[in-house]
């Protein structure tokens, strides 16, 4: 586990239509997107384990850029994000998360596809674990990973959120790419 110390974590509740989730950033970029309709406790627990001793400061202004792009995504007007990220993990986790970012908007891949993409074809279970540890839901698109048989599998944000994200992308794949 990679821990970050002494970084202020700025957070805000992003509330747009039926999307309610907590987002957080450091001075370096977005570091957390929470699960749909969860309490701030989810963020507090995550920050306590990943950024021990770092202060949590509610700050809507600092998070406006991130909220703006996420809302554009939820409205089907954005297919990728331009803001900086601040996420850290093991070398394996980083390889998996970077592979997730290569899955095109509106498409899905299997856990085995990701394992093959990072040249670790026998690491399907470890890929699943790394995906589950993704701190930045939606923007690092782990919702685009499904079972090899096409089944929707676990998702840190809950299967309802995963279905909602996949449906949103399916409904907007014919719009211009941004």
């Amino acid at each position: 586990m990679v821990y970050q110390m002494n970084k202020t974590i700025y957070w805000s509740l992003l509330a747009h239509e039926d999307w309610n989730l907590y987002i957080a950033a450091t001075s370096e970029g977005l570091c957390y997107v929470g699960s749909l309709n969860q309490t701030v406790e989810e963020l507090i627990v995550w920050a306590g384990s990943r950024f021990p001793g770092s202060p949590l400061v509610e700050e809507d202004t600092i998070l406006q850029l991130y909220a703006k792009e996420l809302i554009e995504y939820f409205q089907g007007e954005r297919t990728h994000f331009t803001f900086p990220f601040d996420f850290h993990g093991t070398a394996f986790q980083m390889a998996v998360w970077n592979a997730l970012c290569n899955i095109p908007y509106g498409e899905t891949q299997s856990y085995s596809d990701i394992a093959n993409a990072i040249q670790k074809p026998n690491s399907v279970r470890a890929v699943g674990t790394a995906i589950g540890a993704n701190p930045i839901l939606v923007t690092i698109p782990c919702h685009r990973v499904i079972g090899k048989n096409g089944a929707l599998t676990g998702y840190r944000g809950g299967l309802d959120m995963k279905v909602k994200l996949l449906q949103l992308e399916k409904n907007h794949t014919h719009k211009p790419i941004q």
Side-chain angles (χ1 to χ4, degrees), residues 12-23:
S12 179
L13 173 63
L14 186 154
H16 173 74
E17 296 175 354
D18 54 350
W19 293 96
N20 294 293
L21 39 88
Y22 286 92
I23 60 175

Side-chain angles (χ1 to χ4, degrees), residues 19-22 33-38 42 70 73-74 136-139 142-143 152 155-168:
W19 293 96
N20 294 293
L21 39 88
Y22 286 92
V33 173
S35 305
L36 191 61
N37 298 323
Q38 290 299 306
E42 181 188 43
L70 281 160
Y73 169 85
F74 295 142
I136 313 175
L137 297 181
V138 182
T139 56
C142 54
H143 60 277
L152 296 183
Y155 183 66
R156 180 173 67 83
L159 283 182
D160 288 345
M161 183 176 179
K162 183 172 189 163
V163 167
K164 193 171 177 170
L165 290 166
L166 290 171
Q167 190 63 47
L168 181 149

Side-chain angles (χ1 to χ4, degrees), residues 145-153 162:
V145 179
I146 60 174
K148 197 171 190 175
N149 62 358
L152 296 183
T153 52
K162 183 172 189 163

Side-chain angles (χ1 to χ4, degrees), residues 46-77:
W46 173 84
S49 69
R50 296 304 297 241
F51 290 85
S54 293
L56 275 169
V57 177
E58 185 174 8
E59 181 55 69
D60 296 340
T61 306
I62 290 175
L63 289 149
Q64 279 180 342
L65 166 70
Y66 307 109
K68 177 183 179 292
E69 288 197 14
L70 281 160
I71 289 168
E72 290 169 354
Y73 169 85
F74 295 142
Q75 293 173 330
E77 299 166 359

Side-chain angles (χ1 to χ4, degrees), residues 38-151:
Q38 290 299 306
T39 66
V40 73
E41 187 66 23
E42 181 188 43
L43 167 63
I44 292 168
V45 168
W46 173 84
S49 69
R50 296 304 297 241
F51 290 85
S54 293
L56 275 169
V57 177
E58 185 174 8
E59 181 55 69
D60 296 340
T61 306
I62 290 175
L63 289 149
Q64 279 180 342
L65 166 70
Y66 307 109
K68 177 183 179 292
E69 288 197 14
L70 281 160
I71 289 168
E72 290 169 354
Y73 169 85
F74 295 142
Q75 293 173 330
E77 299 166 359
R78 175 170 294 282
T79 59
H80 73 279
F81 300 93
T82 62
F83 48 67
F85 294 101
D86 183 8
F87 63 103
H88 306 274
T90 65
F92 184 83
Q93 287 173 326
M94 295 299 286
V96 169
W97 299 339
N98 285 323
L100 297 177
C101 292
N102 292 326
I103 303 172
Y105 179 92
E107 296 183 19
T108 58
Q109 291 185 3
S110 70
Y111 293 89
S112 339
D113 292 334
I114 300 301
N116 288 326
I118 64 167
Q119 301 179 348
K120 303 267 186 197
N122 297 323
S123 300
V124 175
R125 282 182 187 241
V127 163
T129 301
I131 289 172
N134 171 18
I136 313 175
L137 297 181
V138 182
T139 56
I140 297 178
C142 54
H143 60 277
R144 296 180 189 153
V145 179
I146 60 174
K148 197 171 190 175
N149 62 358

